[in-house]
Amino acid sequence: MATLFWSCQKMVEFDTDQVASQLVLNSLPSDGQRLFLNFAYSRFFLTDQPGPTASSPDIKISVNNGSLILVPDLVAGSNYFFPYTPVAGDSLAVTINAEGHLVTASTRIPKPLQISNIRYYQVWDRSMHSVAKAIDSSLNFCIISFDLADPAEEDNYYYVRISERDSGEVYSSRHSRFEKVDTVYPRSMFMCDDPKVVGDDVRLSAPVVELPGGYTPYDCIICSDKAISGTNHRIALYLPILVDTNEAAGFIHQFTLHVESINADRVKYLLGVSSATGLASAFAEPAGVYSNVTVDGEPGLGLFSGISHRSYPIEITPWPYPQNLSKIAYGTSPFRAGSDLMYKIYSIKKQYVTRKM
């Protein structure tokens, strides 16, 4: 089968029958969650279909140096589930024999996250509405804070992000009608000015763009615990809220705060994915991205890495449509000086994600 890909200047033909397919192992075993992994062949990067399933793989997971040997008790496509729930400190090693190949990987489950005192409040500043420079939108902020207790006896890494789901109808001036959208942004933009979280000596991930005065936007934060080791540290995030007044009544905005305790393997993988080129990132497994999986003793594709994950819904009520402004207590935005640039960056960032109609 041949697939065509073209621009206004060139046409590139791909012979998909000649594209090599490789075995891929992916799993993020987490404390308190049933253990499962995904194992399949890689897919062609221009298709949204999953890769082919390996034929009758022999999969075993060793827990704590062989004190327990697990085999799947449920198979759903290329997802394999095991009758076990990992706990903090578990060491896991997977061995897969599939179609003449030996696939291996190992990891350790980090300690459970200790998060408390989650708080959030909105800052609706009247001066911010003129900043948006658009009749159909306005920009405000939600401040989110939480306490993170870091264990002193081990080195830790943290991965913080905020996801957003937009679902409902938006009026399209181009088509002169309301259109349905249902979009998930796995990494919405936010700001953080805490040097113990985003300082040069602790932050590992890159910002969307580097700005002075605490206005730097991030789509995620990956950091070490170097500055907060053994302490109970409060972290504050500043989430920009872009309001589209073309939305029909009943439109849903769902924000969720995600915090993970991760190990070095996942750090390397996430940083590799972030630095991959646009074309490479379209692959099921981006070319050149770090992997702790081996196939026949050689570097493979995918990741088998223990995590501790917690998620918290963020309720923003009432949503700051113009008709609700009289019901909202106004404050002063801590980022008024950087609001104009933040609005531009936020709008451009969202254009990168295709909405599913």
Side-chain angles (χ1 to χ4, degrees), residues 214-249:
Y215 301 124
T216 296
Y218 304 91
D219 60 2
C220 74
I221 293 174
I222 302 173
C223 65
S224 72
D225 68 345
K226 180 178 178 181
I228 61 174
S229 181
T231 67
N232 189 33
H233 183 68
R234 175 160 296 180
I235 298 174
L237 310 177
Y238 306 90
L239 174 68
I241 303 296
L242 183 64
V243 176
D244 186 348
T245 56
N246 281 328
E247 297 169 357

Side-chain angles (χ1 to χ4, degrees), residues 36 40 52 63 69 79 88 141 153 179 181 214 219 232 241 249 252 278 282 288 294 305 355-356:
F36 87 96
V63 181
I69 303 297
N79 292 319
F141 287 90
E153 61 273 16
E179 297 180 342
V181 297
D219 60 2
N232 189 33
I241 303 296
I252 298 173
T294 66
S305 183
R355 287 185 165 185
K356 295 180 179 179

Side-chain angles (χ1 to χ4, degrees), residues 325-344:
L325 296 182
S326 61
K327 306 173 185 177
I328 297 173
Y330 284 87
T332 300
S333 169
F335 294 103
R336 182 183 303 174
S339 299
D340 190 16
L341 183 56
M342 173 59 71
Y343 173 76
K344 294 177 183 177

Side-chain angles (χ1 to χ4, degrees), residues 28 106-111 154-159 204-205 222-225 260-273 289-293 302-308:
L28 296 175
S106 61
T107 190
R108 181 176 178 276
I109 307 298
K111 289 192 173 182
E154 58 185 49
D155 294 332
N156 294 283
Y157 300 94
Y158 296 105
Y159 175 39
L204 303 171
S205 54
I222 302 173
C223 65
S224 72
D225 68 345
E260 290 182 20
S261 176
I262 61 179
N263 57 38
D265 285 329
R266 182 147 166 79
V267 171
K268 294 175 184 177
Y269 180 85
L270 289 169
L271 295 181
V273 170
V289 171
Y290 173 83
S291 173
N292 66 345
V293 177
L303 187 72
F304 184 68
S305 183
I307 66 171
S308 178

Side-chain angles (χ1 to χ4, degrees), residues 20 30 42 137 193 258 262:
S30 176
S42 57
S137 60
D193 57 0
H258 300 267
I262 61 179

Side-chain angles (χ1 to χ4, degrees), residues 149-222:
D150 180 82
E153 61 273 16
E154 58 185 49
D155 294 332
N156 294 283
Y157 300 94
Y158 296 105
Y159 175 39
V160 181
R161 63 183 175 90
I162 298 174
S163 64
E164 175 186 0
R165 181 192 176 202
D166 291 345
S167 181
E169 293 186 338
V170 176
Y171 185 78
S172 169
S173 56
R174 178 181 178 183
H175 300 110
S176 300
R177 66 173 184 262
F178 280 95
E179 297 180 342
K180 293 182 179 180
V181 297
D182 191 359
T183 306
V184 175
Y185 304 100
R187 303 204 310 194
S188 292
M189 208 165 53
F190 61 92
M191 292 183 290
C192 179
D193 57 0
D194 187 342
K196 293 186 177 182
V197 178
V198 296
D200 291 339
D201 57 338
V202 294
R203 179 174 52 81
L204 303 171
S205 54
V208 176
V209 63
E210 194 81 46
L211 298 177
Y215 301 124
T216 296
Y218 304 91
D219 60 2
C220 74
I221 293 174
I222 302 173

